[in-house]
Amino acid sequence: MKGRQNLLLLLAVVLLAALPLWLVEKPAPDALDAEGKPVEIFGGADGKAQELIGKINPDYQPWFQPLLEPASNEIASLLFALQAALGAGFIGYYLGSAVTREKLKREQEKQVDKARQASASEDNNRGKDAHAG
Amino acid sequence: MEGFLPIEHAVGWSIASAPFVAWGIRSVNRRIRENPEQRMLLGVAAAFTFVLSALKLPSVTGSCSHPTGTGLGAVLFGPAAMAPIGAVVLLFQALLLAHGGLTTLGANLFSMAIVGPFAAYGIFQLARRLKASFAVSIFLAASLADLLTYVTTSVQLAWAFPDPVGGFTVSFLKFAGIFAITQIPLAISEGLLTVVIFNALARFNPQELRDMQVLGKPEAQA
């Protein structure tokens, strides 16, 4: 039940991420924005905000530059992928060990139960013997 | 957004965020000393934020942004714990990825690692008190925390860059149009993903969550 709920939830997340790609209208290939640059979609919201700052206060100059910038977009996506992989790897490790712990615990309980049953039936037999004797 | 926040705002937000980070470090240290077995779960909360803030997702506005992942840790460890965790994530992104920024660190900490987690914690407690189910409470906490983070960002930018004609309000509406509206589907995604991870945690670690008073007794047995 819970398993299916998780599956449905994950499916909803995938849909939420995929729908915009389909819903947002693509700009015409030769469309230009106010500054004469080609219109792009699915750029970062940060970039849009920087544009807006430029519009509100055209005189504003950023007063600090990033110390280290990824050499290219490819390198940037490498680092983002690394960040996600590190996080997901740790979560996977934790869940994996939790599953194993739970399984071992259950097996141990089963064995303890079995041993108890065995000793109980032994006691029973001994009782019978005593009675017979 | 490096250098895009005027220096007095950058300094101001850093001063506002610093005590929360200090409080968070103290509360995390105390918790780990008292319950060393919770160290791994704290790692999971940090890892979740790491993953989600690396996921740049497309939105219906035609631009991309990323979730924050702070709701999970806030519900598990209390709101203050997310301030130092958020600082680690934001520093990683600012130093290595040129994303976010060192000069905007204080402001980003305030919106993502303070406002978001406190909202998540408050909403979770409120929803539980109103007898909402565990999953619904988690969903509301995580998604609204995500959304409020970006509303806060919009307030911060509107404060720094008020519209020459309409002032703060007009400017806020413009920034919110970029950040908050873009964030709506992403916030829903974050809420759903947080429910998924809580389901997994509750399935395999019910005792731990019960000890932390996150799970009530009946849910823990389900």
Side-chain angles (χ1 to χ4, degrees), chain B residues 65-189:
Chain B
S65 188
H66 56 84
T68 63
T70 56
L72 175 74
V75 170
L76 283 175
F77 292 101
M82 286 318 286
I85 291 178
V88 172
V89 176
L90 287 169
L91 265 177
F92 178 91
Q93 295 203 325
L95 286 175
L96 290 178
L97 296 161
H99 183 78
L102 288 176
T103 54
T104 46
L105 190 66
N108 284 337
L109 264 174
F110 200 85
S111 61
M112 176 182 141
I114 297 167
V115 171
F118 274 88
Y121 188 79
I123 291 163
F124 179 73
Q125 298 293 338
L126 185 72
R128 291 304 276 158
R129 209 151 297 162
L130 294 175
K131 307 266 181 257
S133 79
F134 187 70
V136 168
S137 309
I138 291 289
F139 173 79
L140 288 176
S143 52
L144 290 176
D146 178 309
L147 199 60
L148 282 172
T149 293
Y150 286 89
V151 169
T152 308
T153 303
S154 309
V155 169
Q156 289 170 327
L157 284 170
W159 191 1
F161 299 99
D163 191 85
V165 184
F168 172 83
T169 316
V170 168
S171 187
F172 169 71
L173 290 177
K174 285 183 183 169
F175 282 111
I178 293 175
F179 284 115
I181 307 296
T182 301
Q183 205 62 26
I184 290 172
L186 273 58
I188 297 172
S189 291

Side-chain angles (χ1 to χ4, degrees), chain A residues 20 25 29 35 48 51 56 60 102 113 119 121:
Chain A
E25 218 166 304
E35 283 148 42
K48 283 228 174 127
E51 259 172 51
I56 291 175
Y60 186 81
E102 175 87 1
D113 270 0
S119 76
S121 66

Side-chain angles (χ1 to χ4, degrees), chain A residues 2 5-10 12-14 16-21 23-24 40-57 60-70 75-91 93-95 97-102 105-106, chain B residues 1-7 10 39-44 47-51 53-65 89 92-100 102-103 135 157 160-164 171 174-175 178-179 182 185 188-190 192-193 195-197 199-201 203-206 208 222:
Chain A
K2 270 274 147 70
Q5 189 193 351
N6 275 357
L7 209 64
L8 287 175
L9 291 176
L10 289 175
V13 172
V14 172
L16 274 171
L19 275 181
L21 299 174
L23 288 178
V24 175
E40 284 178 20
I41 49 168
F42 296 122
D46 280 8
K48 283 228 174 127
Q50 288 173 11
E51 259 172 51
L52 180 56
I53 290 174
K55 261 184 230 155
I56 291 175
N57 187 350
Y60 186 81
Q61 288 298 325
W63 53 279
F64 198 83
Q65 293 299 320
L67 298 176
L68 203 68
E69 231 167 326
I75 305 293
S77 44
L78 164 72
L79 290 169
F80 273 109
L82 195 66
Q83 182 186 339
L86 284 174
F90 188 86
I91 295 174
Y93 168 74
Y94 179 83
L95 287 179
S97 59
V99 170
T100 314
R101 196 176 50 209
E102 175 87 1
K105 209 173 81 190
R106 220 173 291 153
Chain B
M1 297 290 278
E2 191 76 278
F4 269 89
L5 207 54
I7 192 158
R39 204 176 307 166
M40 289 292 283
L41 206 52
L42 190 72
V44 169
F48 191 66
T49 298
F50 236 66
V51 178
S53 59
L55 293 182
K56 296 198 188 178
L57 298 168
S59 178
V60 282
T61 51
S63 43
C64 288
S65 188
V89 176
F92 178 91
Q93 295 203 325
L95 286 175
L96 290 178
L97 296 161
H99 183 78
L102 288 176
T103 54
L157 284 170
F161 299 99
D163 191 85
S171 187
K174 285 183 183 169
F175 282 111
I178 293 175
F179 284 115
T182 301
I188 297 172
S189 291
E190 166 154 5
L192 298 176
L193 285 172
V195 173
V196 168
I197 187 113
N199 278 345
L201 293 177
R203 166 82 179 75
F204 297 111
N205 307 275
E208 211 166 352

